[in-house]
Amino acid sequence: MIFGISEHEILSIVVTAILTIVTLMGSVIMAALMIPIERRLLGLWQDRYGPNRVGPFGSLQVVADMIKIFFKEDWIPPFADKAVFVIAPAIIMFTTLMAFAVIPFTESWTIANLNVGILFLLAMSSLGVYSVIFAGWSSDNKYALLGSMRTAAQMISYEVFMGLSLLGVVLLAGSFNLGDIVESQRGMWNVIPQFPAFVIFFIAGCAEIHRAPFDLPEAEQELTAGYHTEYSGMKFGMFFVGEYLGIVLISCLVTTLFFGGWLGPWLPGFVWFFLKAFFFMCFFILLRAATVRPRYDQLMAFGWKVLLPIALLNVAITGAIVVAQS
Amino acid sequence: MATITIDGKEFDVDDTENLLAVALSKGFDLPYFCWHPELHSVGACRQCAVKSYRNDEDDKGMLVMACMTPCSDGGRFEIDDEEAAEMRRQVIEWLMTNHPHDCPVCEEGGECHLQDMTLMAGHTQRRYRGPKRTHKNQDLGPFINHEMNRCIACYRCVRYYRDYADGDDLRALGSHNNVYFGRESDGAFDNEFSGNLVEVCPTGVFTDKTLGAHYNRKWDMQNAPGICNHCSLGCNTSPGSRQGVLKRIQNRYHGEINHYFLCDRGRFGAGFVNRDDRPRQPLVRNADGVLEPREMDVMRDTMEEVFAQANGVVGVGSPRASLEDNFALRHLVGADNFTNGMAPADSAASVAARDAIAANADRLATLREVESCDAVLILGEDVTQTAPRLALSLRQSRRNKHLEHAAANKIPKWHARAVRDIGQYNNSPIFSATTSATRLDDIVMTPQRLRPAAIAELGFAVAHALDNTAPKVEQLDADTQALVDAIAETLKGAKKPLIVAGTSLGDPAILKAAANATKALAAANEATRLFVTLAEANSLGMAMMEERDIDHALTAVEDGSADTLVVMQNCLYERAPKARVDAVIKKAKNVVVLDHSMTRTVGEATHVLPSGSFAESDGTLVNNEGRAQRFFQLFIPDAPMQEGWRWAADLAEVAGNKPEWLGMDDLIKTIVADCPQFAGIEDAAPSQSFRKFGMRFPRSPHRFSGRTAMYANVDVRERRPEVDPDSPLAYSMEGYYGEQQPPSTIAYAWSPGWDSNQAAITRFQDEVGGHLKGGDPGIRLFAAPGAAAEFWAAEVTAVDGWQAVPVYHIFGSESQSARAPAIAERMPKPEYRVNAEAAKALGVTAGDSFELAVNGETHAFPLAIDPSLPDRTIGVPVGMHGVCGLRLPVEVKP
Amino acid sequence: MKNAAQNAFSATSSVLRTIGMTFMHSFRKRDTILYPEEKPYLPPRYRGRIVLTRDPDGAERCVACNLCSVACPVDCISVVKTEDETGRWYPETFRINFSRCIYCGYCEDACPTYAIQLTPDFEMGEFDRQNMVYEKSDLLISGVGKRPGYNFYRVAGMSVGGKDKGQAENEAEPVDIKTLLP
């Protein structure tokens, strides 16, 4: 007993702390690695090489980019609202990293094994909207504000379908706990019974992190760079890494919710998890290489007129089947 | 007035004009070659073909030459007609058959009327493949380059040179395809206005040799509106420069003064700006008596010391410096210690000229007006040498008789050949009384060669003959009386008589006589005009500012009341005898000279401050008709030079007398407040803060090239554009350039499709050859006549014995232009002149070296026989080759 | 309804097909030329480093007419004209500030003597910007460049060294103005 805490508890705190650090480092490093990977893959799919000069096969490109971004002048426009301007990029990093807390990488590797893991996830991704709104508003720049308003509408809308699509999974698993959801897929990955939910979740997830083709908030042709027009240096870097963190997060979620998480033969669980998640990360990049950005009204119409009915239908049918089975 | 239709648009036009002039005035682009606003129409080149229709029913029309077509009421014309356009295209194709493939290596390229017209008429591909006719060139002296291959035989050059300027040594030689325009043999043109051939020639046959020596294209020049500073007429010029080098002087149109033409002194006399021997940094004479350079800040302390030690400071102004420079010096030394810098005789004559001008303010002729006067009396002035541009105007005045005959025979005034033919040798009368033969004698009726006093007497006698209340001249001999009566009769009979007088003989009586004659004549004829010439660009301004002459300054040093002399852009040796100046400089503790040229005074000074010449400063000059005109800085010198007035202000500051004015506008306001006689000079040009559509006015054409490379050898980073603190002009090609610009700020002439100086200016004129839109620049300071002046008493100071009279020469008698290399080449050798009898009396023959002491200054020159001089009169060369301090006439004892 | 279903199907399949096609590019050959190791082919009319050429007789072609400098949209050419003792125009200074040059080739188009030519060389990087300023000695080459045969002064009417009036191509003998014959 130390300070009234049992040794068992101390051990669990230490383990959690280590897991937290490992997860934190792992996810951020993965996000950083996504930068050169994306550039190389885009190059591959566009019949060129991408960065191949710095280090073997361009592997040190990310280091060069980091060094560059660290040494950039930390610039806040004189017309910006300084406090909010500084907070905004921190929020997106914070909320995205927080979401990683509930993801079960293996049976035992979950930082916070919450009963309401999915609700926590949705809550965190909702908070992410503030980052964009704050950034756009505090920049005092019309493009930034337009971009952030688009983002707000887009994220709030697709949040709805995202949540609805997950209800089917929850119904099947009978739990909001992500570990339980993975366990429930031992027989069959959710992607098969919940295929429409998977598609909706994937699209909504794409929109949540505003990746191409849903990168309207930062559509450079119309809005220069959208909400982060005024950002540069490390603050821009946080938005930048935040986006890649988002990719990692959504990929992990897809893996967890629909592709059986760590489950798989022969290999250790975290390897399976990593392989599955990595596949989706690459798929996000392929999506960027292959698809075109829709118009803003098309984006909203698609969400409310197509995804919402399908998601509702999916919940209804899943519910009906679950009720019928039990 | 007549109403005509051009290209379907109706215009109310002057029916005494021809169609070409009207079309150009109305803004149409119609090609032409042989026509010129001053030379009028001969219909030779066939380039200005247009369609003319008999009436509204006529749909075929016929081709006519616009320049030979009167604007009769109801006329209907088509410029934009297919057949007319085709004719114009073919005509230029013929003209171009022999034109060489020279444009890249032709000085005219870029401002070539032929290039413009070729493009305008639409001839873009040469079809002619035969051999081209070639010509040998001639060496035409230091001013003009000859490249005869480029000739298109428009005859403009001979029509200008022979018919307009009355020159004789340029002719059309040969016939048909072989015509050749040149002299009989190599050699410089005889006429003093030959430089205008550069602009009159529509192609590159005659080009400016002084420009060719350091050539660049028109579009690459930095220009500024300039005022010629080589005589008192104030012709407007457009100096061009690049990279701090003055390249050339071009004519700048002024509807009241020089219009299209300059004299050769004005055009080629600015080369002194580029001389290597100019002081380019502050200099101080060291213990060894050598001038050595000083840094600006060191110089400041030195000057502070000079003024602290000074025991009485006296300032010498200058009639060749601007009002601003002189006023700033006046402020530095105090109004009581300021002198006008003129020699006593010159100053007295200039003051008399000022009074004559003030009394006849409403009868002053502008240079342009001189051309319309139909009887002229010239008193004492050899205008070709002292105010050259006036001679060209006087040559036009004699043609009023031709126009009279033409009008009587219903020949339109623009029909140049017919007007000449009907005029024959019937000229309007010009009388002239001078000390010796002049270059105008060919058009003068019975030219008189008299001594200065006799000239004044003649003037007074004419005045008396015109109005017997005017003072009488006693003891006139019968011949003179007959002449006086004849002159009086002729002047009385004229529609617009003109009296011309000047200060060149240094005799105020001549100007008083001229004023009397004008007053007497004006009583009978309201149209009577007076034209007064002075010695230098700002002589009248200085006579208005200060009457004390240089004598006052020299005396102050001599009697010890002052020991420091401050000289503003003046050479003491030009104003007073050498011995006296030497003594004064020796006695004075310090002689501070602010000048731009290496004058003899600079050579003797203790402190030299490099002031800007006209190219490096802004300023106001008052010309001979009392017109205050502003000239603008051309370029910023690459040396610690500044305007004379800035130096004077700096000196005043270290002398503990810091002036209140800050910039140019402020200074001008102070001048007006302190010297109310200059009220109005502030309107001579817009103030520094003036903008059109929020823009300054460019000094360079919009295609000024090489901006990012010109100075790249020094530093690859581009220089910050210079900002002009004194004027609304910009040192760049940016700003507003166009018809709505105040005319005083137009630095160069260009308009779309019209690159040549004389054609492009059309777009800035209210009508071709008229006034500039917005009014001709300059403010006349004597707009209203003063109090009704009395006649002056007919007092003359006659000299009984031998008398020295000045002999001026257009090239050399003016000290600034004499430093220009091109002018120096044309300067005559100095010689004393006497008539044959006088030579006999002196016991010398032509060519002998002859020594003469004038005012204690002795020179030996060869003697020449000039039969036109009066008895016992010695003509002394003035202003050149060391003959400086003489102001004549004076009695001499050879 | 049927239309909507068709639309939905074709839209979905189009997106999927695009994704598939893009993925298949993984197995294509790459178009990138790995520049410093592998030199690209540049055609002779490529617009690279500017040179001044000589005429077939070995003399400078440039006559300092200033047309290149006025045609230059970035004003990076500065030419100062001078003359030799025979009246032949040539540039005293010919300076190009390559740190401003945009290689548009207008100068070459404007040149009436084929003196200024753009060449297939673009490797002009410098660490010091001042070194991007090329003087005439840096620009003048010993050959005729892309235009063999042309010599401006053989066509022009001016008499320059070794060529008098009437000796240029397609010129008649100078007119004798003293003759009386028509």
Side-chain angles (χ1 to χ4, degrees):
Chain A
M1 295 287 280
I2 304 164
F3 304 126
I5 307 166
S6 73
E7 277 157 13
H8 180 71
E9 277 171 333
I10 290 174
L11 189 69
S12 104
I13 288 171
V14 169
V15 166
T16 310
I18 292 170
L19 278 182
T20 309
I21 292 166
V22 169
T23 310
L24 207 64
M25 295 306 290
S27 52
V28 172
I29 288 171
M30 194 58 222
L33 280 176
M34 281 306 287
I35 299 171
I37 289 171
E38 164 151 42
R39 292 179 64 182
R40 290 288 288 182
L41 283 178
L42 281 179
L44 177 70
W45 289 319
Q46 291 168 352
D47 293 346
R48 48 187 185 85
Y49 287 97
N52 63 349
R53 294 281 156 184
V54 190
F57 303 104
S59 56
L60 294 180
Q61 186 65 43
V62 64
V63 179
D65 286 351
M66 294 284 272
I67 291 171
K68 183 193 79 169
I69 219 160
F70 271 120
F71 283 97
K72 281 217 171 176
E73 187 188 356
D74 189 37
W75 165 251
I76 299 172
F79 44 80
D81 187 319
K82 293 199 175 48
V84 182
F85 190 82
V86 173
I87 289 170
I91 292 178
I92 192 133
M93 286 287 281
F94 174 77
T95 54
T96 318
L97 285 174
M98 281 298 280
F100 278 101
V102 292
I103 292 176
F105 295 98
T106 64
E107 258 176 310
S108 51
W109 185 355
T110 311
I111 298 166
N113 195 4
L114 294 184
N115 282 335
V116 288
I118 284 183
L119 293 185
F120 181 80
L121 263 176
L122 292 175
M124 280 301 131
S125 76
S126 302
L127 279 175
V129 170
Y130 283 101
S131 164
V132 179
I133 294 268
F134 283 176
W137 178 80
S138 68
S139 291
D140 199 6
N141 169 319
K142 60 185 170 193
Y143 296 117
L145 190 64
L146 279 173
S148 67
M149 279 161 61
R150 281 187 182 185
T151 319
Q154 177 181 325
M155 286 178 80
I156 289 167
S157 304
Y158 278 76
E159 193 81 44
V160 174
F161 325 132
M162 197 172 175
L164 283 174
S165 69
L166 291 184
L167 279 185
V169 177
V170 173
L171 281 171
L172 288 184
S175 167
F176 280 107
N177 183 305
L178 285 166
D180 295 349
I181 291 172
V182 175
E183 283 300 333
S184 75
Q185 298 180 63
R186 277 204 183 274
M188 182 172 44
W189 288 354
N190 274 340
V191 68
I192 295 163
Q194 286 295 317
F195 187 74
F198 160 66
V199 173
I200 293 167
F201 182 81
F202 195 83
I203 292 171
C206 205
E208 272 301 296
I209 55 169
H210 28 86
R211 276 288 296 185
F214 300 113
D215 54 349
L216 284 102
E218 46 197 289
E220 48 277 272
Q221 289 89 340
E222 339 162 8
L223 295 177
T224 46
Y227 61 88
H228 59 61
T229 302
E230 296 290 350
Y231 281 85
S232 64
M234 202 49 224
K235 285 198 271 300
F236 168 75
M238 279 162 90
F239 277 122
F240 198 57
V241 173
E243 182 179 319
Y244 285 101
L245 270 179
I247 297 178
V248 177
L249 176 66
I250 298 293
S251 303
C252 291
L253 282 177
V254 169
T255 308
T256 310
L257 295 168
F258 295 100
F259 286 86
W262 67 82
L263 298 177
W266 310 306
L267 295 170
F270 72 88
V271 176
W272 272 116
F273 189 91
F274 176 78
L275 287 176
K276 291 174 188 172
F278 189 71
F279 172 81
F280 286 107
M281 292 179 213
C282 295
F283 191 73
F284 270 113
I285 293 162
L286 179 60
L287 216 53
R288 174 172 170 188
T291 54
V292 292
R293 185 189 306 134
R295 231 169 39 223
Y296 187 61
D297 60 318
Q298 291 170 335
L299 176 90
M300 295 308 272
F302 178 67
W304 291 105
K305 290 183 183 170
V306 180
L307 294 188
L308 181 68
I310 294 176
L312 288 173
L313 210 61
N314 180 50
V315 173
I317 293 170
T318 312
I321 291 172
V322 168
V323 169
Q325 277 178 348
S326 61
Chain B
M1 292 302 276
T3 306
I4 62 165
T5 313
I6 305 175
D7 281 353
K9 273 187 230 149
E10 271 195 14
F11 296 100
D12 286 333
V13 301
D14 180 358
D15 57 359
T16 64
E17 274 300 341
N18 64 68
L19 178 60
L20 175 60
V22 163
L24 292 172
S25 297
K26 298 295 174 197
F28 289 97
D29 284 345
L30 182 56
Y32 62 86
F33 281 114
C34 66
W35 180 82
H36 182 283
E38 288 301 319
L39 306 177
H40 305 299
S41 314
V42 288
C45 71
R46 319 312 282 171
Q47 186 59 67
C48 59
V50 296
K51 261 292 180 55
S52 164
Y53 297 90
R54 256 185 289 278
N55 48 40
D56 286 349
E57 283 77 53
D58 183 5
D59 58 354
K60 284 194 79 170
M62 61 173 175
L63 285 172
V64 295
M65 294 308 124
C67 72
M68 299 302 282
T69 306
C71 288
S72 37
D73 199 27
R76 186 156 71 87
F77 306 100
E78 288 285 336
I79 294 173
D80 193 16
D81 176 86
E82 209 172 296
E83 236 177 344
E86 179 60 15
M87 161 127 185
R88 296 196 294 260
R89 198 192 62 72
Q90 286 183 7
V91 166
I92 199 135
E93 188 168 2
W94 301 326
L95 289 177
M96 288 292 289
T97 50
N98 285 318
H99 195 73
H101 187 63
D102 263 5
C103 294
V105 290
C106 174
E107 284 94 340
E108 193 84 356
E111 51 184 322
C112 177
H113 192 65
L114 180 61
Q115 280 179 340
D116 288 351
M117 296 304 101
T118 310
L119 213 63
M120 194 178 286
H123 170 56
T124 49
Q125 282 290 322
R126 181 192 291 276
R127 291 188 293 169
Y128 174 72
R129 291 283 173 251
K132 289 179 184 176
R133 171 268 289 140
T134 60
H135 282 296
K136 295 268 190 210
N137 300 332
Q138 288 179 333
D139 181 357
L140 298 177
F143 296 160
I144 294 179
N145 188 47
H146 193 221
E147 184 61 50
M148 196 44 216
N149 277 2
R150 298 169 186 157
C151 183
I152 54 162
C154 72
Y155 281 69
R156 260 208 215 185
C157 55
V158 286
R159 288 179 57 224
Y160 164 75
Y161 195 82
R162 300 181 69 84
D163 298 354
Y164 190 87
D166 291 344
D168 194 40
D169 55 340
L170 173 68
R171 287 161 192 276
L173 308 163
S175 62
H176 61 93
N177 205 19
N178 288 346
V179 273
Y180 185 90
F181 296 91
R183 302 179 81 244
E184 189 190 13
S185 59
D186 284 1
F189 281 122
D190 209 19
N191 195 283
E192 292 81 4
F193 309 96
S194 61
N196 293 312
L197 288 173
V198 171
E199 287 183 48
V200 166
C201 176
T203 171
V205 177
F206 299 105
T207 50
D208 185 339
K209 212 178 237 180
T210 60
L211 168 64
H214 42 215
Y215 181 74
N216 60 261
R217 300 276 174 209
K218 174 180 179 172
W219 63 66
D220 280 343
M221 299 226 197
Q222 180 165 297
N223 311 276
I227 304 297
C228 181
N229 54 0
H230 300 305
C231 86
S232 64
L233 299 183
C235 294
N236 286 203
T237 58
S238 173
S241 72
R242 188 172 170 86
Q243 290 187 274
V245 177
L246 183 105
K247 300 283 184 175
R248 65 143 173 223
I249 301 287
Q250 248 195 342
N251 182 63
R252 182 163 66 95
Y253 188 88
H254 189 291
E256 291 287 5
I257 308 179
N258 49 314
H259 57 85
Y260 288 98
F261 304 122
L262 293 176
C263 71
D264 287 358
R265 179 154 94 194
R267 189 181 292 273
F268 302 111
F272 70 94
V273 173
N274 297 335
R275 281 182 74 112
D276 291 334
D277 64 356
R278 280 183 62 184
R280 287 178 190 276
Q281 49 195 324
L283 304 169
V284 176
R285 193 169 298 280
N286 64 13
D288 303 333
V290 179
L291 285 173
E292 56 181 30
R294 284 277 192 284
E295 292 300 317
M296 290 286 262
D297 46 347
V298 180
M299 196 63 184
R300 196 190 147 87
D301 300 340
T302 314
M303 293 317 294
E304 198 162 1
E305 216 169 284
V306 166
F307 282 101
Q309 291 172 357
N311 184 18
V313 182
V314 57
V316 178
S318 169
R320 64 172 153 92
S322 65
L323 287 181
E324 287 80 0
D325 291 351
N326 280 302
F327 182 83
L329 176 66
R330 183 172 175 268
H331 172 88
L332 168 66
V333 299
D336 296 336
N337 302 318
F338 179 68
T339 64
N340 65 18
M342 290 191 262
D346 192 18
S347 181
S350 298
V351 169
R354 178 198 69 191
D355 295 341
I357 288 167
N360 292 289
D362 54 342
R363 299 185 199 116
L364 290 178
T366 63
L367 201 53
R368 190 65 185 264
E369 228 176 341
V370 167
E371 295 177 5
S372 61
C373 294
D374 58 347
V376 182
L377 171 61
I378 305 169
L379 288 175
E381 202 71 7
D382 184 355
V383 292
T384 319
Q385 316 298 349
T386 60
R389 181 63 183 79
L390 174 61
L392 194 59
S393 293
L394 285 170
R395 287 191 179 277
Q396 310 320 309
S397 77
R398 71 170 173 108
R399 300 208 166 84
N400 286 306
K401 193 59 123 193
H402 301 191
L403 291 169
E404 215 174 279
H405 282 288
N409 290 282
K410 297 207 169 58
I411 293 169
K413 62 180 184 187
W414 44 260
H415 205 312
R417 193 70 241 175
V419 171
R420 275 184 75 77
D421 285 349
I422 201 148
Q424 296 288 333
Y425 299 105
N426 299 312
N427 290 339
S428 296
I430 297 178
F431 300 99
S432 163
T434 49
T435 50
S436 62
T438 72
R439 299 273 293 163
L440 274 183
D441 283 354
D442 58 322
I443 55 166
V444 167
M445 297 172 82
T446 60
Q448 301 298 307
R449 281 70 185 261
L450 304 170
R451 294 236 227 165
I455 293 171
E457 272 181 354
L458 180 78
F460 284 122
V462 170
H464 180 73
L466 288 162
D467 180 348
N468 47 26
T469 61
K472 195 167 188 277
V473 180
E474 308 298 333
Q475 300 161 340
L476 277 186
D477 59 50
D479 284 355
T480 314
Q481 191 58 53
L483 176 73
V484 165
D485 291 342
I487 294 174
E489 206 53 42
T490 311
L491 291 177
K492 229 184 249 178
K495 288 197 202 82
K496 193 172 180 182
L498 171 73
I499 313 288
V500 177
T503 62
S504 72
L505 292 179
D507 191 346
I510 294 176
L511 291 146
K512 289 174 182 168
N516 276 10
T518 311
K519 182 171 158 61
L521 200 50
N525 186 350
E526 272 296 305
T528 303
R529 288 289 179 267
L530 171 68
F531 195 93
V532 177
T533 69
L534 291 98
E536 285 165 85
N538 205 16
S539 285
L540 184 56
M542 285 317 289
M544 291 167 73
M545 187 183 278
E546 180 58 65
E547 288 186 17
R548 271 189 301 253
D549 57 47
I550 197 163
D551 208 32
H552 180 87
L554 300 179
T555 313
V557 177
E558 281 161 352
D559 66 16
S561 60
D563 65 353
T564 302
L565 260 176
V566 186
V567 182
M568 171 68 78
Q569 294 177 26
N570 206 341
C571 179
L572 303 178
Y573 291 94
E574 286 174 27
R575 315 286 175 181
K578 181 171 183 298
R580 189 175 177 202
V581 175
D582 280 343
V584 164
I585 288 178
K586 204 169 171 200
K587 182 154 192 241
K589 194 190 287 169
N590 284 307
V591 179
V592 182
V593 181
L594 299 79
D595 209 340
H596 51 71
S597 289
M598 196 64 201
T599 62
R600 285 164 75 189
T601 310
V602 169
E604 302 294 328
T606 56
H607 299 81
V608 179
L609 299 169
S611 75
S613 67
F614 76 91
E616 294 115 359
S617 48
D618 299 72
T620 309
L621 299 173
V622 182
N623 83 345
N624 69 310
E625 42 158 346
R627 187 187 292 269
Q629 301 189 96
R630 186 83 50 82
F631 61 92
F632 293 93
Q633 187 163 355
L634 180 58
F635 53 78
I636 292 177
D638 203 9
M641 277 185 208
Q642 54 183 5
E643 295 89 336
W645 58 266
R646 282 221 156 86
W647 277 123
D650 288 354
L651 293 182
E653 196 181 337
V654 298
N657 181 19
K658 188 174 192 254
E660 278 168 23
W661 72 78
L662 288 172
M664 181 83 177
D665 288 337
D666 240 18
L667 171 57
I668 290 172
K669 264 185 215 137
T670 316
I671 296 177
V672 173
D674 264 29
C675 311
Q677 67 268 38
F678 292 116
I681 60 168
E682 67 274 22
D683 298 326
S687 69
Q688 192 277 335
S689 56
F690 184 90
R691 300 285 184 276
K692 189 80 197 176
F693 306 125
M695 286 181 275
R696 283 174 177 263
F697 307 111
R699 277 182 171 83
S700 308
H702 65 292
R703 268 317 301 154
F704 187 84
S705 76
R707 257 182 325 111
T708 65
M710 264 195 307
Y711 298 107
N713 56 331
V714 182
D715 188 354
V716 70
R717 285 174 287 265
E718 276 101 53
R719 296 182 175 190
R720 179 192 284 267
E722 302 283 1
V723 175
D724 189 339
D726 301 321
S727 80
L729 277 78
Y731 287 107
S732 75
M733 71 281 257
E734 289 171 358
Y736 174 77
Y737 179 79
E739 294 168 19
Q740 296 181 50
Q741 199 173 337
S744 57
T745 62
I746 299 172
Y748 59 95
W750 178 84
S751 59
W754 301 88
D755 295 283
S756 68
N757 192 34
Q758 299 209 337
I761 197 69
T762 305
R763 294 289 180 262
F764 293 88
Q765 296 166 332
D766 57 357
E767 56 179 32
V768 175
H771 301 282
L772 290 172
K773 283 177 187 165
D776 291 311
I779 298 292
R780 289 182 80 163
L781 301 178
F782 297 98
E790 295 296 308
F791 282 116
W792 267 293
E795 288 167 355
V796 297
T797 5
V799 173
D800 288 336
W802 287 86
Q803 189 176 20
V805 296
V807 173
Y808 292 91
H809 197 276
I810 177 171
F811 305 128
S813 289
E814 197 275 326
S815 63
Q816 295 182 85
S817 60
R819 288 193 172 81
I823 297 283
E825 226 175 293
R826 291 287 306 274
M827 254 183 338
K829 292 223 154 47
E831 56 189 18
Y832 288 125
R833 293 182 188 175
V834 288
N835 65 16
E837 276 172 46
K840 205 184 279 174
L842 292 171
V844 286
T845 52
D848 286 356
S849 181
F850 180 67
E851 198 166 276
L852 183 68
V854 185
N855 279 356
E857 192 170 326
T858 309
H859 293 279
F861 296 133
L863 193 81
I865 304 296
D866 181 350
S868 69
L869 277 163
D871 284 343
R872 286 184 298 166
T873 305
I874 304 173
V876 176
V878 170
M880 46 189 161
H881 297 290
V883 188
C884 293
L886 314 180
R887 271 300 173 266
L888 306 165
V890 291
E891 187 167 4
V892 288
K893 294 195 176 58
Chain C
M1 191 63 206
K2 197 185 164 197
N3 260 341
Q6 256 176 1
N7 276 348
F9 179 74
S10 72
T12 313
S13 62
S14 149
V15 170
L16 292 178
R17 196 160 54 97
T18 316
I19 293 172
M21 280 169 72
T22 309
F23 182 74
M24 291 315 284
H25 273 263
S26 317
F27 311 107
R28 290 271 191 90
K29 191 180 167 296
R30 306 192 184 199
D31 292 332
T32 313
I33 296 166
L34 291 168
Y35 158 62
E37 296 86 20
E38 196 183 332
K39 300 290 182 198
Y41 167 72
L42 300 177
R45 280 166 48 172
Y46 185 87
R47 299 198 310 260
R49 181 168 58 87
I50 297 171
V51 295
L52 287 174
T53 60
R54 291 174 186 276
D55 63 30
D57 305 331
E60 265 176 70
R61 258 181 181 154
C62 178
V63 299
C65 71
N66 270 288
L67 284 178
C68 51
S69 80
V70 74
C72 179
V74 291
D75 288 345
C76 74
I77 307 179
S78 170
V79 188
V80 177
K81 172 248 167 186
T82 189
E83 262 177 42
D84 69 7
E85 60 284 358
T86 68
R88 182 188 173 110
W89 286 31
Y90 70 96
E92 185 180 22
T93 309
F94 199 110
R95 183 180 306 129
I96 301 182
N97 179 354
F98 277 109
S99 72
R100 283 274 180 247
C101 181
I102 57 169
Y103 302 95
C104 64
Y106 284 11
C107 49
E108 186 174 7
D109 279 357
C111 185
T113 68
Y114 300 132
I116 194 166
Q117 296 183 5
L118 276 74
T119 61
D121 172 19
F122 57 85
E123 294 171 318
M124 300 176 65
E126 293 282 353
F127 285 102
D128 182 1
R129 207 179 136 203
Q130 189 65 46
N131 295 340
M132 301 288 282
V133 178
Y134 281 42
E135 298 289 339
K136 189 169 101 174
S137 52
D138 308 318
L139 296 165
L140 191 62
I141 63 165
S142 307
V144 293
K146 290 174 273 187
R147 301 279 184 172
Y150 186 74
N151 183 340
F152 170 78
Y153 279 112
R154 277 193 218 147
V155 184
M158 293 234 299
S159 74
V160 296
K163 187 204 81 173
D164 205 356
K165 286 293 175 73
Q167 294 179 355
E169 282 169 22
N170 229 1
E171 271 190 353
E173 277 299 304
V175 171
D176 178 7
I177 54 169
K178 300 274 161 72
T179 180
L180 284 174
L181 295 171

